[in-house]
């Protein structure tokens, strides 16, 4: 890896494109280096992972809304939509929107945390949608996703967004655009413009993940994927972008990131050199529990600690000593009263470590639906325990969170439970059990088990087996055959909401419905004509003759 210095430059510098970060990202995208076997295998794992969580969320309201919007944009030979038959295809940017929402809804797929944080699996829906639409192969998809993961992770390693209250999709959109560029074999100039367009349109604030968190938490990365598809399309047509997007005098760094405070601030962004394999996906990790990633180790720790607690009402206070990031994003340091509210949305609850730890401690299990129901959140014993929990930043956990040593990097905490009789219980965990350095690192059988568990009762066994067989042979899928990666529900099991939006007037008719409407209209017209002729004939018969005698 080579570090690239990135900072704000005044316009008079006329910064050469070769010195711009977007050009260097494009260079990584067009590098035809082979994808290594372990990287390709991990890409298969993450496609399985995405399908698992997407199908588990398939009939949740935000996902249904996104699906109906996508179905309003049909395209023959386009991209598939999770839940629908593979023969139902839509325009790729709308497939990216619908599938991206389904993947993100439960907050249950892969993650990477460093200077910023991310869910690199959000790259899969837009890259796959384009691959299906243009008829690419499994090998092409692997190459595109290796690039997306690489760029996304490298930006997250080096450029902190959350410090400046910028939402993390600002790194996702250019990564997806770069991956699509690799997939399509585009020239560096085209990818360069697409990446800059993607950066320019994807900067939004962190309010989407603060306060009363809404369904936009799921829509935000889906929107970034949609924007990436559109950015590449425009660039392929020869359209340019704001330039230089990272380093310019009025750029995103200058006014939205560290350049706002210090124009001389320099980011050091690592990128693979020419001919160097793209391996960043191997530094990412998925979730065993449906909750924000920094709660994963704490859920496992709650399971372990509860075995020693005989009476939860005897607890006086629980203090979670953790990193700056955990404290301020999902802890009491966020100063969000909603994180302590039993009436809060599911999206808010899965970003409240106080709620999560209380439920995990009481139940000894975690379920992507049952652990978040309004009835569960309002249980009096849970509310009482929940409100005894607070977080505090521990400098050592913050240091480990930001450590570049993979053997030392940690996303856990030290838990101190204080009892009313003056005794206390203390335990700690650095990484979740499912982490690559955890007690039970996730491997292919775990991904398959997660898929089978989350899709059980939603899809048929035959459909599950078909998908798993196809995805595990990803590299052999021929050009034009990527629709096999779609997962369909039985028609009666899929929710299709009635039209309520602007796009619904364009919804495709049910098979045969258009022909029946035309036939009914023609029949009605012929009957009207016949009635008019009949009335005219009767009138002529009744009318007296005007012929002179």
């Amino acid at each position: 890896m080579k570090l690239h210095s990135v900072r704000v430059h005044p316009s008079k510098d006329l910064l050469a494109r070769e010195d711009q970060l977007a050009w260097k990202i494009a260079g990584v995208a067009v590098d035809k280096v082979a994808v290594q076997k372990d990287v390709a295998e991990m890409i298969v794992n993450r496609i399985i992972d995405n399908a698992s969580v997407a199908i588990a969320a398939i009939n949740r309201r935000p996902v249904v809304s996104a699906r109906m919007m996508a179905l309003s944009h049909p395209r023959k030979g386009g991209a598939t939509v999770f839940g629908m038959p593979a023969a139902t295809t839509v325009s790729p940017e709308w497939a990216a929107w619908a599938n991206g929402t389904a993947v993100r809804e439960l907050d249950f797929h892969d993650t990477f945390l460093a200077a910023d944080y991310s869910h690199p699996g959000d790259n899969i829906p837009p890259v796959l949608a384009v691959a299906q639409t243009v008829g690419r192969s499994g090998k092409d998809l692997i190459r595109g996703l290796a690039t997306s993961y690489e760029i996304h992770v490298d930006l997250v390693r080096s450029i902190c967004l959350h410090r400046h209250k910028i939402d993390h999709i600002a790194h996702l959109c250019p990564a997806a655009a770069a991956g699509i560029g690799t997939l399509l074999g585009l020239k560096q100039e085209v990818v360069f413009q697409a990446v800059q367009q993607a950066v320019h349109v994807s900067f939004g604030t962190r309010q989407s993940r603060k306060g009363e968190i809404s369904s936009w938490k799921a829509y935000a990365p889906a929107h970034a994927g949609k924007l990436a598809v559109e950015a590449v399309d425009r660039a392929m047509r020869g359209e340019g972008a704001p330039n230089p997007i990272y380093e310019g005098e009025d750029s995103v760094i200058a006014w939205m990131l560290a350049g706002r405070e210090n124009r001389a601030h320099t980011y050091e962004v690592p990128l693979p050199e020419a001919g160097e394999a793209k391996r960043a996906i191997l530094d990412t990790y998925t979730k065993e529990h449906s909750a924000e990633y920094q709660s994963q180790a704490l859920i496992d720790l709650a399971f372990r600690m509860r075995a020693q607690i005989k009476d939860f009402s005897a607890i006086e206070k629980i203090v979670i000593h953790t990193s700056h990031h955990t404290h301020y994003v999902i802890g009491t340091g966020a100063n969000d009263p909603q994180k302590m509210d039993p009436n809060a949305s599911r999206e808010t609850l899965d970003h409240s470590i106080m709620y999560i730890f209380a439920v995990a401690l009481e139940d000894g299990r975690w379920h992507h639906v049952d652990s978040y129901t309004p009835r569960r959140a309002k249980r009096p014993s849970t509310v009482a325990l929940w409100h005894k929990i607070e977080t505090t930043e521990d400098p050592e956990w913050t240091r480990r969170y930001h450590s570049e040593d993979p053997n030392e990097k940690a996303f856990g905490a030290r838990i101190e439970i204080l009892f009313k009789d003056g005794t206390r219980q203390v335990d700690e965990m650095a990484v979740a059990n499912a982490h690559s350095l955890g007690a039970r690192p996730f491997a292919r059988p775990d991904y398959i088990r997660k898929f089978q568990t989350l899709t059980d009762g939603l899809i048929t066994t035959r459909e599950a087996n078909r998908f798993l067989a196809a995805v595990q042979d990803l590299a052999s899928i021929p050009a034009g055959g990527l629709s096999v990666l779609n997962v369909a529900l039985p028609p009666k099991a899929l929710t299709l909401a009635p039209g309520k939006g602007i796009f619904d007037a364009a919804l495709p008719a049910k098979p045969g419905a258009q022909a029946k409407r035309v036939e009914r209209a023609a029949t009605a017209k012929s009957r009207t004509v016949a009635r008019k002729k009949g009335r005219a004939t009767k009138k002529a018969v009744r009318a007296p003759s005007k012929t002179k005698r």
Side-chain angles (χ1 to χ4, degrees), residues 7 20-22 38 51 84-85 104 159 162 164-165 176 181 195 268 298 304 314 333 370 376 386 426 431 449 467 479:
R7 64 174 178 84
Q20 296 175 30
L21 178 59
D38 53 352
M84 299 294 295
R104 190 68 181 85
I159 300 179
H162 70 85
H164 307 284
K165 312 307 178 186
V195 166
E268 299 292 338
L298 276 73
R304 189 165 76 190
D370 298 346
R376 183 69 195 82
W386 175 6
V426 180
V431 295
R449 184 174 60 256
F467 167 75

Side-chain angles (χ1 to χ4, degrees), residues 512-527:
Q514 181 66 27
K516 290 179 180 178
R517 280 201 297 271
V518 172
E519 182 182 350
R520 285 196 298 269
T523 301
K525 184 176 181 180
S526 64
R527 287 173 179 169

Side-chain angles (χ1 to χ4, degrees), residues 43 191 350:
I43 287 172
V191 182
D350 77 11

Side-chain angles (χ1 to χ4, degrees), residues 17-32:
R17 62 178 49 194
E18 292 78 13
D19 295 325
Q20 296 175 30
L21 178 59
W23 180 263
K24 295 171 182 178
I25 288 173
V28 174
V30 301
D31 187 2
K32 298 185 183 301

Side-chain angles (χ1 to χ4, degrees), residues 437-500:
L437 297 177
R440 300 186 301 274
F442 249 48
R444 178 66 54 80
D446 299 295
Y447 287 98
I448 291 175
R449 184 174 60 256
K450 183 176 177 180
F451 175 83
Q452 292 171 332
T453 299
L454 293 182
T455 62
D456 183 44
L458 292 170
I459 65 175
T460 64
T461 301
R462 181 176 181 179
E463 175 70 353
N465 292 339
R466 181 205 62 76
F467 167 75
L468 290 172
V471 71
Q472 291 184 86
D473 199 24
L474 179 59
S476 299
I477 296 176
L482 288 172
S483 63
V484 297
L485 298 182
N486 187 59
V487 180
L489 269 68
K492 292 183 179 180
L494 188 68
T495 300
L496 295 175
K500 293 182 179 179

